[in-house]
């Protein structure tokens, strides 16, 4: 996907009081800031099994993921994570803790992943999922997970599965900085 072409009145320059080049309107001085996207999601369990969704959409269609997606304007991170569980797995969830904050500069994302438990037994694929399923730890299709952060979140959940208090995890060191930044 290519970047949209800015209107002709915009130019790349360093605005006053800033240190980075930005798109600035030459007519009115409005600055177009490009910021990271916030992803919200949850590692959801029921009876000791993990709810995963097989993606129906790109990127990584056909691969398994935890329910997660872009946070919407005007919602809290917790509400967004619960909404994503509903949208992708038509399931209701109770979130109990922030499991991880993954800062991934190479794709300009900050991911907030919660730990959650199904509140009702039913679930089914939502519009963005081909299939939803509960997996035991030894049944998780590790080689078919859509993104590294799904693997991290499942492993981090497993590390604190019996704990009620813990510090949120972060991404592995190899994802902490973007070359040239």
């Amino acid at each position: 996907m290519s970047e949209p072409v800015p209107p002709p009145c915009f130019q790349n320059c360093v605005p006053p009081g800033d240190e980075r080049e930005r798109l600035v309107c030459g007519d009115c001085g409005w600055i177009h800031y490009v910021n990271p996207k916030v992803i919200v999601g949850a590692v959801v369990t029921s009876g000791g099994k993990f709810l995963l969704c097989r993606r129906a959409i790109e990127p990584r269609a056909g691969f398994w993921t935890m329910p997660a997606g872009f946070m919407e304007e005007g919602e809290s991170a917790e509400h967004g994570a619960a909404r994503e569980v509903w949208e992708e797995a038509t399931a209701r969830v109770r979130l109990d803790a922030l499991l991880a904050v993954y800062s991934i500069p190479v794709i300009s994302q900050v991911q907030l992943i919660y730990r959650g438990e199904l509140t009702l037994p039913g679930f089914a694929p939502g519009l963005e999922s081909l299939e939803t399923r509960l997996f035991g730890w030894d049944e998780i299709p590790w080689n078919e997970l859509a993104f590294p952060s799904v693997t991290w979140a499942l492993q981090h959940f497993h590390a604190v599965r019996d704990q009620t208090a813990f510090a949120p995890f972060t991404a592995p060191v190899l994802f902490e900085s973007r070359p040239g930044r």
Side-chain angles (χ1 to χ4, degrees):
M1 187 155 108
S2 62
E3 290 291 319
V5 177
C9 59
F10 279 81
Q11 58 189 359
N12 278 315
C13 64
V14 178
D18 205 335
E19 296 176 348
R20 291 180 179 244
E21 198 170 82
R22 315 255 186 211
L23 275 177
V24 179
C25 178
D27 294 339
C28 70
W30 187 83
I31 303 167
H32 176 71
Y33 291 96
V34 178
N35 301 105
K37 299 292 183 191
V38 178
I39 307 300
V40 290
V43 174
V44 179
T45 59
S46 180
K49 294 190 172 192
F50 297 85
L51 177 65
L52 296 178
C53 306
R54 189 183 295 270
R55 291 177 60 82
I57 60 171
E58 292 297 344
R60 309 286 287 161
F63 286 81
W64 292 95
T65 189
M66 64 190 154
F70 294 107
M71 187 171 156
E72 299 291 347
E73 288 187 11
E75 72 180 353
S76 69
E78 296 86 353
H79 181 265
R83 176 187 49 75
E84 286 293 337
V85 172
W86 175 254
E87 287 180 0
E88 295 185 14
T90 63
R92 297 294 181 200
V93 65
R94 179 188 57 80
L95 302 176
D96 79 344
L98 178 62
L99 176 67
V101 178
Y102 301 135
S103 179
I104 311 173
V106 70
I107 57 173
S108 199
Q109 288 184 0
V110 175
Q111 299 183 4
L112 304 173
I113 308 300
Y114 291 86
R115 189 167 72 167
E117 179 82 17
L118 287 179
T119 58
L120 299 171
F123 58 88
L127 293 175
E128 297 179 0
S129 299
L130 297 170
E131 179 182 0
T132 53
R133 184 174 154 199
L134 288 171
F135 290 91
W137 182 255
D138 295 331
E139 302 170 322
I140 294 171
W142 296 102
N143 292 329
E144 297 177 44
L145 296 180
F147 309 106
S149 58
V150 178
T151 301
W152 305 334
L154 289 167
Q155 291 172 341
H156 290 151
F157 182 101
H158 192 65
V160 295
R161 66 189 172 278
D162 297 323
Q163 298 177 32
T164 56
F166 54 88
F169 290 89
T170 58
V173 172
L174 67 125
F175 283 94
E176 286 185 0
S177 63
R178 186 176 188 174
R181 294 270 174 163

